[in-house]
């Protein structure tokens, strides 16, 4: 396939593309089992449940990672983390060579506005590419006004709500929504106050888990209220029926189900399974043929919006939801304590693949906490950066998927809702088959498994446009 055909490939563009508004709303750390409309926690999310009933498609989706930088980059590019190379905190810049969602829609004639929150969507990291307006979400006031002023024209608005992620706040107005009488709840829980339970060697006590879960649920209820305010503003514009609306979450949140808390520590179900809701414009000529409640990867959101607008979708981007496709639900998490982690979800089965690039650092979890605590820093015999530098150096020199030794493979089956909602499965044949498919899926458009140092060198030599070569991930910008 020639270079020109790679970058100009059009995937199933509609004959009559959508000419009205497109709105993408993402929430931070909302897991699927907190949403009653998806079979989860009752009573917390009435506004989202109402939207689910009205939507053309709603169900659980699989996030591309459990770290927010990687997941946002996936939503912006339609690529998996190793393809877009937003991998960890020190490797978080979105390359200007990539075609972002805002750029693709602006090329299709849309005005673009982004309302961001959190440290990993900052304009200094390149996430403002393609936006005519890029503003902090703040309290959402400017966004509400923007949605109220929507007109019947090509406009794209993305909003990233900071809730329900920590800090967890005791929103007293929503306490009645909790299903059982809550334990004594603090006014606020900061991430630094619960960091110690991120270490799998430090078990989260059951009473503490109940308290944190209750606080998280109050944050979920508050996020639902914020979402409702945005939906009301969109309705007030008179453009509700004309709007293509997508609501999802970047990843979930964990409360001890896999021995950790918060997110970014593993690829368990609680961190990967998120809600996805799609409302198509009235009279839109294309439908979503995927059965509701069938899990789909969030990588498909990019192409769905671009195809709806009549734009181009290069081969490396995951296909739109307007196609029946068996695109694998692969997730990736890089540079944990000496390991990289990968996941493949097929139906109710999940294969977890752990590759090792370095021996675990004994003080890794203390070093993580030391950045926010003088007391913890005093316990370390070396600066915390020394720990992470050793890990980064070994990571950069090691093939990411296969590592330095045979990977650790674990097969789990996702069950009906509950704690933890998974159970281990002993099936060597199924494990081997899924492992082979994971390797194949990870390597699609990545023909050479190069260590990060070599990958970065090739990007630099090609001026950041390595992936425009045939066989590489081809959602890079055309030469001007």
């Amino acid at each position: 396939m020639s270079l020109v055909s790679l970058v100009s490939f059009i995937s199933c563009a509609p004959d009559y593309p959508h000419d009205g508004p497109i709105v993408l709303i993402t929430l931070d750390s909302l897991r699927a089992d907190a949403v009653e409309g998806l079979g989860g926690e009752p009573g917390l999310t009435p506004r989202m449940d109402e939207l689910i009933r009205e939507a053309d498609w709603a169900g659980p989706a699989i996030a591309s990672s459990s770290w927010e930088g990687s997941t946002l980059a996936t939503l912006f590019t339609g690529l998996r983390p190793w393809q877009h190379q937003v991998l960890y905190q020190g490797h978080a810049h979105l390359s200007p060579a990539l075609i972002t969602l805002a750029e693709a829609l602006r090329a299709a004639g849309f005005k673009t506005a982004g309302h961001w929150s959190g440290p990993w969507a900052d304009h200094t990291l390149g996430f403002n590419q393609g936006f005519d307006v890029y503003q902090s979400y703040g309290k959402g006031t400017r966004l509400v006004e923007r949605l109220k002023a929507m007109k019947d024209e090509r406009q794209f608005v993305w909003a990233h709500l900071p809730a329900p992620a920590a800090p967890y706040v005791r929103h007293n107005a929503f306490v009645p929504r909790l299903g059982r009488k809550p334990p004594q709840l603090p006014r606020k829980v900061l991430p630094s106050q619960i960091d110690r339970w991120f270490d799998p060697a430090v078990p989260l006590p059951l009473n503490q888990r109940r308290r944190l879960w209750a606080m998280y649920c109050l944050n979920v209820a508050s996020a639902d209220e914020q979402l409702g305010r945005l939906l009301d503003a969109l309705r007030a514009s008179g453009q509700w029926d004309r709007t293509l609306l997508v609501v999802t979450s970047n990843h979930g949140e964990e409360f001890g189900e896999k021995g950790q808390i918060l997110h970014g520590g593993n690829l368990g179900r609680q961190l990967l399974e998120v809600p996805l809701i799609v409302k198509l414009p009235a009279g839109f000529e294309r439908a979503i043929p995927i059965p509701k409640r069938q899990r789909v990867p969030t990588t498909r959101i990019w192409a769905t919006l671009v195809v709806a607008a009549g734009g181009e979708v290069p081969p490396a981007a995951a296909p739109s939801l307007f196609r029946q496709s068996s695109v694998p639900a692969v997730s990736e998490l890089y540079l944990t304590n000496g390991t990289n982690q990968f996941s493949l979800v097929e139906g109710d089965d999940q294969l977890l693949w752990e590759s090792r690039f370095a021996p675990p650092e004994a003080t890794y979890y203390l070093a993580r906490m030391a950045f926010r605590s003088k007391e913890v820093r005093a316990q370390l015999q070396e600066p915390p950066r020394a720990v992470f530098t050793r890990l980064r150096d070994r990571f950069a020199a090691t093939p990411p998927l296969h590592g330095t030794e045979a990977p650790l493979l674990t097969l789990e089956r996702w069950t009906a809702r509950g704690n933890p909602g998974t159970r281990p499965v002993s099936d060597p044949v199924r494990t081997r088959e899924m492992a082979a498919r994971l390797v194949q899926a990870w390597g699609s458009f990545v023909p050479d498994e190069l260590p990060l140092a070599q990958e970065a060198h090739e990007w630099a030599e090609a001026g950041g446009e390595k992936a425009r070569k045939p066989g590489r991930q081809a959602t890079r910008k055309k030469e001007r």
Side-chain angles (χ1 to χ4, degrees):
M1 184 180 291
S2 70
L3 176 61
V4 172
S5 62
L6 263 174
V7 297
S8 63
F9 183 85
I10 300 177
S11 173
C12 300
D15 294 332
Y16 302 99
H18 176 51
D19 285 320
I22 294 177
V23 177
L24 170 63
I25 300 174
T26 54
L27 295 96
D28 193 346
S29 304
L30 178 63
R31 48 193 267 179
D33 64 353
V35 179
E36 181 177 6
L38 297 180
E41 223 29 50
L44 289 179
T45 54
R47 297 306 305 271
M48 188 170 289
D49 299 337
E50 177 187 11
L51 180 62
I52 287 172
R53 291 190 292 271
E54 187 174 350
D56 294 272
W57 193 94
I62 305 299
S64 65
S65 182
S66 62
W67 179 60
E68 54 264 49
S70 292
T71 58
L72 285 176
T74 290
L75 291 170
F76 273 36
T77 64
L79 302 174
R80 294 181 291 100
W82 191 259
Q83 292 176 295
H84 58 60
Q85 289 286 292
V86 177
L87 301 178
Y88 58 89
Q89 293 185 10
H91 207 272
H93 195 277
L94 189 64
S95 170
L98 294 164
I99 301 175
T100 67
L101 179 60
E103 287 176 310
L105 293 178
R106 189 164 66 177
F110 280 73
K111 300 175 183 177
T112 58
H115 293 256
W116 63 277
S117 62
W120 305 113
D122 190 278
H123 68 279
T124 60
L125 295 175
F127 283 84
N128 62 330
Q129 296 173 52
F131 285 105
D132 301 315
V133 176
Y134 200 66
Q135 300 174 325
S136 172
Y137 177 83
K139 294 183 179 180
T141 305
R142 288 183 296 188
L143 175 58
V144 166
E145 293 305 313
R146 184 179 301 280
L147 293 175
K148 282 183 179 177
M150 276 280 196
K151 296 187 171 104
D152 185 10
E153 60 185 20
R154 291 195 149 198
Q155 301 177 73
F156 168 60
V157 175
W158 167 65
H160 186 55
L161 278 62
Y168 307 130
V169 178
R170 188 186 66 214
H171 297 281
N172 291 326
F174 302 121
V175 169
R177 293 192 189 181
L178 298 179
R180 59 178 68 89
K181 185 176 179 179
Q184 189 66 31
L185 300 179
R187 185 181 65 85
K188 182 184 285 190
V189 177
L190 302 174
S192 59
Q193 295 174 297
I194 55 178
D195 262 351
R196 62 188 179 277
W197 293 308
F198 192 81
D199 183 351
V202 181
L204 178 66
L206 180 59
N207 65 334
Q208 191 62 255
R209 183 196 183 276
R210 289 171 177 164
R211 186 174 292 110
L212 291 175
W213 176 252
M215 292 290 287
Y216 173 74
C217 287
L218 293 178
N219 270 30
V220 169
S222 176
D224 184 70
E225 195 79 1
Q226 293 179 54
L227 174 64
R229 194 159 61 107
L230 302 183
L231 300 181
D232 289 343
L234 186 55
R235 289 181 188 276
S237 73
Q239 299 304 314
W240 178 260
D241 288 342
R242 291 276 296 140
T243 299
L244 195 169
L245 172 66
V246 173
V247 177
T248 190
S249 174
N250 53 0
H251 51 69
E253 198 83 319
E254 182 183 356
F255 297 92
E257 293 91 348
K258 284 287 185 182
Q260 294 183 288
I261 53 165
L262 301 173
H263 53 265
N266 60 71
L267 294 177
R269 178 182 187 178
Q270 294 73 24
L271 296 179
L272 294 186
E273 193 176 35
V274 298
L276 175 58
I277 307 167
V278 182
K279 184 196 79 67
L280 298 173
F284 194 62
E285 294 190 352
R286 304 197 66 159
I288 296 176
I290 303 165
K292 293 184 179 180
R293 306 302 173 90
Q294 177 180 312
R295 299 181 186 95
V296 298
T298 56
T299 48
R300 301 183 70 174
I301 293 173
W302 189 92
T304 301
L305 299 183
V306 172
V307 164
E312 299 177 353
V313 178
S320 78
L321 295 172
F322 299 121
R323 292 173 51 190
Q324 268 287 15
S325 174
S326 58
V327 58
V330 174
S331 307
E332 307 163 27
L333 181 64
Y334 295 97
L335 196 61
T336 56
N337 190 14
T339 64
N340 300 318
Q341 300 181 42
F342 305 89
S343 162
L344 173 65
V345 176
E346 292 182 340
D348 290 331
D349 288 349
Q350 179 185 27
L351 178 77
L352 294 166
W353 171 304
E354 182 178 273
S355 69
R356 181 156 294 284
F357 61 82
E361 291 278 349
T363 59
Y364 172 81
Y365 294 101
L366 282 177
R368 283 178 50 94
M369 295 168 58
F371 287 109
R372 289 195 284 243
S373 170
K374 292 182 180 179
E375 292 77 11
V376 173
R377 279 199 296 274
Q379 299 177 42
L380 294 173
Q381 296 181 349
E382 62 180 344
R385 292 190 186 279
V387 175
F388 298 117
T389 297
R390 285 195 297 272
L391 288 173
R392 281 197 300 267
D393 290 346
R394 293 289 297 274
F395 168 69
T398 307
L401 184 63
H402 287 91
T404 57
E405 56 190 64
L408 175 64
L409 304 180
T410 305
L411 183 64
E412 295 190 345
R413 186 150 296 152
W414 291 8
T415 62
R417 294 298 178 192
N419 180 19
T422 62
R423 63 179 177 84
V425 175
S426 178
D427 188 338
V429 173
R430 175 75 166 148
T431 299
R432 287 194 299 271
E433 291 173 347
M434 289 187 67
R437 285 193 289 275
L438 190 154
V439 171
Q440 182 181 26
W442 187 91
S444 60
F445 293 97
V446 186
D448 306 312
E449 186 188 343
L450 301 177
L452 182 65
Q454 287 181 255
E455 188 80 27
H457 178 71
E458 291 201 12
W459 275 58
E461 279 196 338
E465 299 198 23
K466 176 185 177 184
R468 296 194 306 113
K469 296 178 182 179
R472 300 296 300 187
Q473 57 267 35
T475 54
R476 304 298 170 94
K477 297 172 186 172
K478 300 178 186 180
E479 294 180 354
R480 300 292 185 254

